[in-house]
Amino acid sequence: MCVSAVPRFDDFVFRIATEADLVPVCEILRLAVTKMLAEGKCQWDESYPNAAHVRDDMGKGIGYVMELNGEVVAYGAVTFDGEPAYDELEGCWLSRGEYVVLHRLAVRRDLGGRGIGTRVLTAVGNLALARGVTSFKVDTNFDNTAMLGLLRKLGFTYCGEVRYGRGTRMAFEKLLENL
């Protein structure tokens, strides 16, 4: 009998973050920032994202965690309120109307490459579909190879660039009927 080292989807819980999640979420983000900086990537830095961003997400009810066997293993901010930068896309979105956005996705560093990011994006897509939203938009930096690979794997389409005060990001969209 062969036992898989990959956790079953049933072992995961995707839920709204609570104050009790602040410490593990901040540690996940801190380690993600440290890794990005060590790799010379410029999407995040020592000031972003931080505990204030997480607290703000939690206060708005948009901070989500993925748990595995009761432990927080990933974090992301999920919003259905739009993203102002997306109104100024240099390119063309696949759709108009309501959409879900995922920001600040980070997976616990020791669990990278085990499909947790895929599970988070799938859970966000399912959350959107449950609300009748069929568009999933996201942006990432040109050098965030992990996120770019994940988006490619899940069939997101590159739509153009968006600008933030911190620089230009690549923008992607997925129509959710086939997520």
Side-chain angles (χ1 to χ4, degrees):
M1 177 176 174
C2 179
V3 178
S4 173
V6 177
R8 297 175 328 199
F9 190 73
D10 294 348
D11 297 333
F12 289 89
V13 175
F14 187 67
R15 63 171 176 77
I16 292 177
T18 67
E19 187 67 29
D21 300 316
L22 185 63
V23 170
V25 165
C26 288
E27 181 64 5
I28 289 168
L29 290 171
R30 185 188 69 75
L31 290 173
V33 167
T34 300
K35 182 177 187 229
M36 280 189 181
L37 293 175
E39 293 173 349
K41 296 177 180 171
C42 56
Q43 183 167 344
W44 292 352
D45 62 26
E46 294 89 355
S47 65
Y48 179 87
N50 61 38
H53 298 109
V54 176
R55 280 191 184 98
D56 187 53
D57 292 346
M58 289 178 181
K60 293 176 181 173
I62 65 170
Y64 280 78
V65 294
M66 180 67 79
E67 282 186 345
L68 172 59
N69 299 323
E71 289 186 45
V72 174
V73 296
Y75 176 77
V78 179
T79 182
F80 291 89
D81 294 333
E83 168 55 60
Y86 290 5
D87 295 341
E88 304 299 323
L89 175 75
E90 293 177 16
C92 185
W93 292 115
L94 302 176
S95 68
R96 298 187 189 278
E98 287 186 279
Y99 57 91
V100 65
V101 178
L102 175 64
H103 285 303
R104 295 182 279 289
L105 173 61
V107 174
R108 208 171 80 187
R109 191 170 177 179
D110 63 323
L111 296 174
R114 297 195 182 166
I116 295 172
T118 297
R119 294 179 196 286
V120 171
L121 268 72
T122 300
V124 171
N126 290 336
L127 187 65
L129 288 170
R131 293 177 67 150
V133 174
T134 59
S135 171
F136 189 162
K137 296 179 180 179
V138 65
D139 64 86
T140 193
N141 209 46
F142 68 93
D143 62 0
N144 190 337
T145 53
M147 187 65 169
L148 290 169
L150 182 58
L151 295 173
R152 202 171 15 260
K153 175 179 128 180
L154 293 176
F156 279 75
T157 300
Y158 173 72
C159 294
E161 294 183 352
V162 293
R163 297 194 184 283
Y164 292 100
R166 303 174 55 82
T168 302
R169 302 286 184 257
M170 298 173 71
F172 296 83
E173 183 176 9
K174 168 114 177 157
L175 300 179
L176 294 175
E177 54 265 5
N178 61 354
L179 183 67

